[in-house]
Amino acid sequence: MTDDEVVETVRAAARARILPPPATPDAIADAEQIIGFRMPPLLRRLYSEVANGGVGPKDGILGVRGGHSQGNFYDIAELYQDGPDPSGRVPAGLVLLYDWGCTIWSLVDFRDPAGAMWCNHQGELWPQGMTLVEWLVGTSTGTLTVNTLLESEPTVECDQ
């Protein structure tokens, strides 16, 4: 699936939700400055063309400043400043994107233009083996759930 197809698919699914307007160029630039890496192009397009967060699974991904939040988590740059892992094991450039609950997060790798996806659970970090495109398609079709995400980490269980 191309980035154009993903953007259009996410846009169509987003029409059924009440979402924030797209992010401003300044909000995107501020997030990139705080994080120290440019966003993967697809994520940048979603924020600037579809909505400032709220798209994707359940409650939707976090936005940048002024966008969609999840609970007490306001935006990706704020979370990045706070750090996803106090032990420092999460490398620079991995950015919290979606909270699955049960302290399970999907992170997107800003160092990779394809947006490689990672998972963090209670200080453990591992690659999800997919790109942001595959993650969005999987979450929108229901083939990627918290249980399938954790299959690569069999000691972790979460009832959701």
Side-chain angles (χ1 to χ4, degrees):
M1 187 173 266
T2 68
D3 284 4
D4 288 340
E5 292 169 324
V6 171
V7 168
E8 195 49 46
T9 299
V10 171
R11 182 179 285 129
R15 290 185 187 116
R17 296 180 171 182
I18 297 172
L19 296 173
T24 65
D26 286 344
I28 292 171
D30 288 348
E32 290 176 332
Q33 182 178 9
I34 290 166
I35 293 165
F37 296 89
R38 285 187 53 84
M39 284 181 194
L42 175 59
L43 185 59
R44 176 182 270 276
R45 286 190 64 190
L46 291 174
Y47 285 145
S48 66
E49 296 176 28
V50 179
N52 188 356
V55 299
K58 296 184 182 181
D59 293 335
I61 64 172
L62 288 165
V64 294
R65 179 178 33 88
H68 180 73
S69 61
Q70 278 185 290
N72 295 330
F73 308 115
Y74 295 106
D75 68 66
I76 61 171
E78 175 193 51
L79 277 175
Y80 190 82
Q81 284 179 313
D82 293 341
D85 176 17
S87 72
R89 290 183 291 200
V90 176
L94 294 186
V95 177
L96 295 165
L97 188 66
Y98 182 73
D99 178 10
W100 291 91
C102 298
T103 67
I104 302 163
W105 280 88
S106 283
L107 298 86
V108 62
D109 190 343
F110 273 42
R111 303 166 303 176
D112 178 358
M117 297 299 292
W118 290 73
C119 187
N120 186 358
H121 181 256
Q122 297 180 340
E124 296 297 321
L125 178 71
W126 66 93
Q128 289 183 232
M130 64 185 69
T131 64
L132 179 59
V133 167
E134 295 163 323
W135 188 88
L136 287 165
V137 170
T139 57
S140 68
T141 61
T143 58
L144 178 62
T145 64
V146 71
N147 291 326
T148 58
L149 174 68
L150 296 176
E151 284 177 357
S152 63
E153 189 69 15
T155 59
V156 177
E157 294 180 19
C158 180
D159 295 325
Q160 276 195 331

